[in-house]
Amino acid sequence: MSEAPHLTFDLDKPGVSTGHLVVPKGADCAALSLSVFSLNRGEGPRLLITGGNHGNELEGPIVARRLVGWLPRAQTCGRVIIVPEINPLAVQAWTRNTPIDGKNLNRVFPGRADGSVTERIADAISRLLLPIADTIFDLHSFGPGWDFPPTATTLPIADPDLMRKTFLMTEAFKLPLTLLWEHPEASGMMDVLAQSKGKVIVCVELGGGNVNSEALAIYEAGVRNALIALGLVEGKAEYPTFRRQRCSQTLQTRRSFDELKSPARGIFEPRCSVLDEVKEGDIIGMLHPWDSLSADAIPIRAPSASIVYAVRSGAYVDVNEEVAMVAHPLNRPLMEVVSHLIV
Amino acid sequence: MSEAPHLTFDLDKPGVSTGHLVVPKGADCAALSLSVFSLNRGEGPRLLITGGNHGNELEGPIVARRLVGWLPRAQTCGRVIIVPEINPLAVQAWTRNTPIDGKNLNRVFPGRADGSVTERIADAISRLLLPIADTIFDLHSFGPGWDFPPTATTLPIADPDLMRKTFLMTEAFKLPLTLLWEHPEASGMMDVLAQSKGKVIVCVELGGGNVNSEALAIYEAGVRNALIALGLVEGKAEYPTFRRQRCSQTLQTRRSFDELKSPARGIFEPRCSVLDEVKEGDIIGMLHPWDSLSADAIPIRAPSASIVYAVRSGAYVDVNEEVAMVAHPLNRPLMEVVSHLIV
């Protein structure tokens, strides 16, 4: 019988400590050691920051490691636990899913102690890290292949109190976009598990493909704003500059209405930018049919007045692949009764 | 015995025609049909434009297909042949190399008629398309994983006349960067084959990861500038706007001196942007050691006063992986005698 998941150090120790979360070995691979940082300044909020949930989204691991560098000088109270790469196998392989079992870590929570390696990672996090936090920041990005603005997101939550608390935390990042995201496949997400335990969880997203210094500066500013809002560090929260603007907008998606698909097999050409406002019929992109250079390119048009929040990178696409996503300004009174509207 | 590579239509036909270049079947896969566009306006330059040499560099295929759309209204003389995806297998798979045989198309020229599929593609292009062109634009990009400015590049060429002609053509793109690139592994490139036949070939590069509308506009403007310089279309060449500037600089690399490597295994964090001027000792990026959060991040510093032209995206890297490349202003008198300096 294999050992149970465990931490190699005492998270209750005051001040800075580092060590590992050990995910037991299984039939498919040896035990894993996930690097963990803990900074315990006593009473106050208990925050867990995770990165590297998907292995080709490196903004999170980098910003998490930058926090490890400066939090010891800045944190005044409470507890922060940071795990920069919760799926180190996927990070090393630069793949969304774990290469060994092909599973998406963010679809297998709460995991299984006797499952494949991705399920064992989820199990270790669910049992040893989530219980000690009241707030979680899961640092994602949209991964290569999409353009996406720096965004703090939350799923709709049935409990109106938790929805309100979560939404305020999401807006506290002051990122260019705050998104209430009716995600089409939320089952098995860490978000859903954390919310079922009454915890506030915010998922940070950012596009697209290239992890560069400008994008990292915006991402880190958003996380710092949220730490200030929690009272963990002192300072003044400020909107980061994105495309020469310092402001944020709050949007919501409507499941299954707001995804634009490729009308044919071919090369997708993006014709708009993220956060562009479009009218019904505006061209979002063009589809160049694959098999012939004599056929005309097919315009892909906005279905309604909306704001483009995700645009596929130029790429070969099959018919019916997603190429863009649009959203709408949040209806705030609607938001107040969101618990009655979601299933 | 399999059929020989052939075109399904007559390239000498006046005006617009489209069809395919057929790459014969082999033991590893069926015959391929590469879409080909031809616009014959009689006397004048004979230009071949190729894209999709590497399958995860989609700027080329998209710009090539945009040209197919507007060249018939714009081209006043000469001949242009466009093959938007010379490696359709890699484009469909979004991989640099051909998935079937794992080969890099741009390292197997002139190819082999009895080789694996990548070699058969190179053979078909070498035999049927290169001979009818006097100028070639091979539209690449730096692919996901790197930030790279919009750039027209040429390898150093031993023949001073061809070097001068090629260099003028390269600068005619008026892209933000013109680069004389001592590429460490040029053997088997289409460039080397074309140059050995006395042809002018320019390779366009651009970063990084996300193929978006802004990047495509710059790329297309560069190609249009080059078409104007060749006299194929009328109009005024203009520097495209990149990072709010409308200008170009010309740099050269020095083989093996100008590549910065990762000092350890870990997460690379970029700390500078492409086209940044750096002094000796300036920080280009940080390496966050993989195994421990208690070890300090290691700065990666500029070896000399130089200009950063390529920065690795934030990523997990092994020890000694390339993370940045720097270059130096072109020494123009040196350039005039380049044939004496290159081996």
Side-chain angles (χ1 to χ4, degrees):
Chain A
M1 171 157 170
S2 82
E3 60 182 347
H6 61 276
L7 285 150
T8 61
F9 68 116
D10 180 7
L11 285 179
D12 290 331
K13 197 177 145 194
V16 171
S17 39
T18 61
H20 293 92
L21 171 64
V22 177
V23 177
K25 71 173 185 217
D28 53 357
C29 82
L32 300 179
S33 289
L34 278 50
S35 291
V36 178
F37 166 92
S38 164
L39 179 40
N40 181 355
R41 295 258 191 259
E43 290 300 306
R46 296 177 305 159
L47 173 66
L48 170 65
I49 298 178
T50 52
N53 188 327
H54 295 131
N56 56 2
E57 304 174 3
L58 271 287
E59 290 85 349
I62 293 173
V63 168
R65 283 165 175 269
R66 280 161 69 145
L67 290 177
V68 166
W70 61 258
L71 259 189
R73 296 190 305 277
Q75 187 183 324
T76 57
C77 69
R79 298 173 62 166
V80 178
I81 294 164
I82 301 177
V83 190
E85 299 94 19
I86 59 174
N87 193 346
L89 298 170
V91 169
Q92 288 186 282
W94 202 60
T95 54
R96 179 174 175 82
N97 294 356
T98 317
I100 290 174
D101 60 11
K103 288 189 177 151
N104 180 339
L105 175 56
N106 211 28
R107 297 295 183 279
V108 301
F109 277 91
R112 284 170 51 198
D114 61 349
S116 66
V117 63
T118 309
E119 294 166 319
R120 296 198 303 278
I121 294 173
D123 175 68
I125 294 166
S126 302
R127 287 209 264 162
L128 294 171
L129 297 181
L130 286 184
I132 48 182
D134 42 46
T135 305
I136 299 122
F137 300 161
D138 192 27
L139 308 183
H140 285 251
S141 53
F142 219 63
W146 286 85
D147 203 3
F148 203 93
T151 305
T153 75
T154 174
L155 304 174
I157 304 167
D159 171 357
D161 282 343
L162 187 61
M163 177 82 263
R164 197 171 294 111
K165 276 168 64 184
T166 301
F167 196 76
L168 289 172
M169 188 75 253
T170 309
E171 286 198 313
F173 280 74
K174 295 186 183 298
L175 283 171
L177 177 59
T178 302
L179 188 65
L180 180 64
W181 200 356
E182 276 204 68
H183 201 288
E185 36 163 352
S187 174
M189 281 189 182
M190 181 155 71
D191 308 63
V192 174
L193 173 66
Q195 286 160 356
S196 75
K197 310 281 185 194
K199 297 172 192 300
V200 169
I201 179 165
V202 177
C203 172
V204 186
E205 295 281 358
L206 183 139
N210 190 274
V211 182
N212 57 46
S213 57
E214 295 87 345
L216 291 169
I218 295 174
Y219 204 118
E220 184 174 16
V223 173
R224 183 175 170 275
N225 287 339
L227 293 170
I228 292 169
L230 276 173
L232 286 164
V233 307
E234 292 177 352
K236 192 166 168 294
E238 282 182 14
Y239 291 102
T241 301
F242 177 65
R243 304 215 172 140
R244 283 177 272 168
Q245 298 208 321
R246 295 170 76 86
C247 62
S248 176
Q249 57 185 314
T250 301
L251 303 178
Q252 65 183 144
T253 65
R254 297 174 309 192
R255 184 161 42 188
S256 78
F257 291 107
D258 291 339
E259 292 169 5
L260 307 192
K261 307 280 179 80
S262 163
R265 188 169 80 113
I267 302 282
F268 172 68
E269 174 195 338
R271 280 276 178 100
C272 66
S273 301
V274 291
L275 299 185
D276 276 0
E277 258 188 83
V278 290
K279 301 186 303 291
E280 182 182 337
D282 280 356
I283 292 179
I284 302 269
M286 300 296 285
L287 192 286
H288 298 273
W290 180 245
D291 292 313
S292 164
L293 294 178
S294 54
D296 285 337
I298 306 165
I300 299 165
R301 296 178 185 277
S304 62
S306 48
I307 293 159
V308 179
Y309 74 94
V311 184
R312 186 92 152 82
S313 184
Y316 170 84
V317 292
D318 245 320
V319 62
N320 230 20
E321 260 189 57
E322 284 173 16
V323 291
M325 301 180 195
V326 300
H328 302 267
L330 182 73
N331 186 333
R332 279 181 192 264
L334 183 78
M335 161 76 195
E336 294 300 313
V337 290
V338 71
S339 59
H340 303 289
L341 293 169
I342 58 180
V343 186
Chain B
M1 166 153 175
S2 83
E3 60 183 347
H6 61 275
L7 285 150
T8 61
F9 68 118
D10 180 7
L11 286 179
D12 291 331
K13 197 177 146 195
V16 172
S17 38
T18 62
H20 294 93
L21 171 65
V22 177
V23 178
K25 72 173 184 216
D28 52 358
C29 82
L32 300 179
S33 289
L34 278 50
S35 292
V36 178
F37 166 92
S38 165
L39 178 41
N40 182 355
R41 295 259 191 258
E43 289 301 306
R46 296 176 306 158
L47 173 66
L48 169 65
I49 299 179
T50 51
N53 189 326
H54 295 131
N56 56 3
E57 303 173 3
L58 271 286
E59 290 86 349
I62 293 173
V63 168
R65 282 165 176 269
R66 280 160 69 145
L67 290 177
V68 166
W70 62 257
L71 260 189
R73 296 189 305 276
Q75 187 183 324
T76 57
C77 69
R79 297 174 62 165
V80 178
I81 294 164
I82 301 177
V83 190
E85 298 94 20
I86 59 174
N87 192 346
L89 297 170
V91 169
Q92 288 186 282
W94 202 60
T95 53
R96 180 173 174 83
N97 295 356
T98 317
I100 289 173
D101 60 10
K103 288 191 176 148
N104 180 338
L105 175 55
N106 211 29
R107 296 296 181 280
V108 300
F109 277 90
R112 283 170 51 199
D114 61 350
S116 66
V117 63
T118 310
E119 294 165 318
R120 296 199 302 278
I121 294 172
D123 175 68
I125 294 166
S126 302
R127 286 209 266 162
L128 295 172
L129 297 181
L130 286 183
I132 48 181
D134 41 45
T135 305
I136 299 121
F137 299 161
D138 192 27
L139 307 183
H140 284 251
S141 53
F142 219 63
W146 285 86
D147 203 5
F148 203 93
T151 306
T153 75
T154 174
L155 305 174
I157 304 167
D159 171 357
D161 282 343
L162 187 60
M163 177 81 263
R164 196 171 297 111
K165 276 167 65 183
T166 301
F167 196 75
L168 289 172
M169 188 76 254
T170 309
E171 287 198 312
F173 281 75
K174 295 185 183 296
L175 283 171
L177 177 60
T178 301
L179 188 65
L180 180 63
W181 200 356
E182 276 205 68
H183 201 287
E185 36 163 350
S187 174
M189 281 189 182
M190 181 155 69
D191 309 61
V192 174
L193 174 66
Q195 285 159 356
S196 74
K197 310 281 185 194
K199 297 173 193 298
V200 169
I201 180 166
V202 178
C203 171
V204 186
E205 295 281 357
L206 184 140
N210 190 274
V211 182
N212 57 46
S213 57
E214 295 87 342
L216 290 168
I218 295 174
Y219 204 117
E220 184 174 16
V223 174
R224 182 175 169 275
N225 287 339
L227 292 170
I228 292 169
L230 275 174
L232 286 164
V233 307
E234 291 177 354
K236 193 167 166 291
E238 283 182 13
Y239 291 101
T241 301
F242 176 66
R243 306 218 171 138
R244 283 177 272 169
Q245 298 208 320
R246 294 170 76 86
C247 62
S248 176
Q249 57 186 312
T250 301
L251 303 177
Q252 66 182 144
T253 65
R254 296 174 311 192
R255 185 161 42 187
S256 78
F257 291 106
D258 292 339
E259 292 170 5
L260 307 193
K261 306 280 178 81
S262 164
R265 188 170 79 111
I267 303 283
F268 172 68
E269 173 195 338
R271 280 276 178 98
C272 66
S273 300
V274 291
L275 299 186
D276 277 0
E277 257 187 85
V278 290
K279 300 187 302 292
E280 182 183 336
D282 280 355
I283 292 180
I284 302 268
M286 301 295 285
L287 192 285
H288 298 272
W290 181 244
D291 292 312
S292 165
L293 295 179
S294 55
D296 285 338
I298 307 164
I300 299 165
R301 297 178 185 279
S304 62
S306 49
I307 294 158
V308 179
Y309 74 95
V311 184
R312 185 92 153 82
S313 184
Y316 170 84
V317 292
D318 245 319
V319 62
N320 230 18
E321 261 188 57
E322 284 172 16
V323 292
M325 301 179 194
V326 300
H328 302 267
L330 182 74
N331 186 332
R332 280 181 191 265
L334 184 76
M335 161 76 195
E336 293 300 313
V337 290
V338 71
S339 60
H340 302 289
L341 294 169
I342 58 180
V343 186

